[in-house]
Amino acid sequence: VMLYFYMRRKRKQEVQKERRLRIFQEAHYRLAQMHEEGNQKKVRNMEVQRLFHCARTEELKVTEQDWAALQRFVSDSWPQFIPALQMKAPKITQIELRICMLIKISVSVTDIAYLVNRTKQAITVSRSRLYKKITGEEGTAEQLDKLIIDLENL
């Protein structure tokens, strides 16, 4: 029985590796095409976005390196976003920062919940609390989403 569960877990890990490899192979193929055009950074950014948008449907586990790549992508795409966010909410936690970055790249609430290993309801509550932490006012999760989208130039 234990061997069965061990083999099942190993197989699931192998499937995840295969899916991740397929995603990166597709991105590598696009990179090769775009390399000729000089768009390496654009491809790398597409790769990061695709990973975070497809993680739940592809059942991928996001690594610390993936989170670091997301932060680089967000910093490159919106240079003032993270500093502005940290200025408005100096005590923002790592999970809250990740939620904000995922909102910024338009990841759905369901996918955010999967990526940070929380329920949809917990993410909604976190978004409302984040709004209060950033603005000092009570607000809704949707108000936070709008604030995050508009935050680049605040």
Side-chain angles (χ1 to χ4, degrees), residues 21-33:
L21 179 62
R22 188 176 64 245
I23 287 171
F24 287 113
Q25 284 174 335
E26 289 171 8
H28 180 72
Y29 175 74
R30 285 191 303 261
L31 175 62
Q33 289 178 324

Side-chain angles (χ1 to χ4, degrees), residues 10 22 34 39 49 55 61 78 81 90 92 98 101 107 109 112 114 118 122 124 127 131 144 148 152-153:
K10 280 299 233 184
R22 188 176 64 245
M34 295 178 90
N39 293 321
Q49 279 190 302
K61 297 295 180 197
W78 301 278
F81 174 70
I92 193 167
R98 288 175 177 179
M101 290 188 300
V107 175
V109 175
I112 292 172
Y114 175 82
R118 303 281 191 277
T124 300
R127 287 163 53 220
Y131 185 83
L144 174 75
I148 294 299
E152 171 68 8
N153 296 316

Side-chain angles (χ1 to χ4, degrees), residues 1-9:
V1 173
M2 290 177 62
L3 180 61
Y4 167 76
F5 287 112
Y6 173 77
M7 295 301 290
R8 185 172 152 193
R9 188 178 75 212

Side-chain angles (χ1 to χ4, degrees), residues 23-87:
I23 287 171
F24 287 113
Q25 284 174 335
E26 289 171 8
H28 180 72
Y29 175 74
R30 285 191 303 261
L31 175 62
Q33 289 178 324
M34 295 178 90
H35 178 69
E36 296 169 8
E37 301 165 12
N39 293 321
Q40 292 177 0
K41 191 173 183 180
K42 185 176 180 180
V43 171
R44 198 173 327 113
N45 290 341
M46 286 173 45
E47 201 174 284
V48 170
Q49 279 190 302
R50 176 159 163 53
L51 173 65
F52 282 92
H53 282 277
C54 297
R56 182 179 56 89
T57 55
E58 297 286 334
E59 295 180 357
L60 297 174
K61 297 295 180 197
V62 179
T63 66
E64 287 301 317
Q65 292 89 354
D66 297 331
W67 286 113
L70 175 64
Q71 189 161 349
R72 281 189 306 276
F73 166 69
V74 170
S75 292
D76 289 347
S77 300
W78 301 278
Q80 298 303 314
F81 174 70
I82 293 175
L85 186 59
Q86 290 172 330
M87 187 172 62

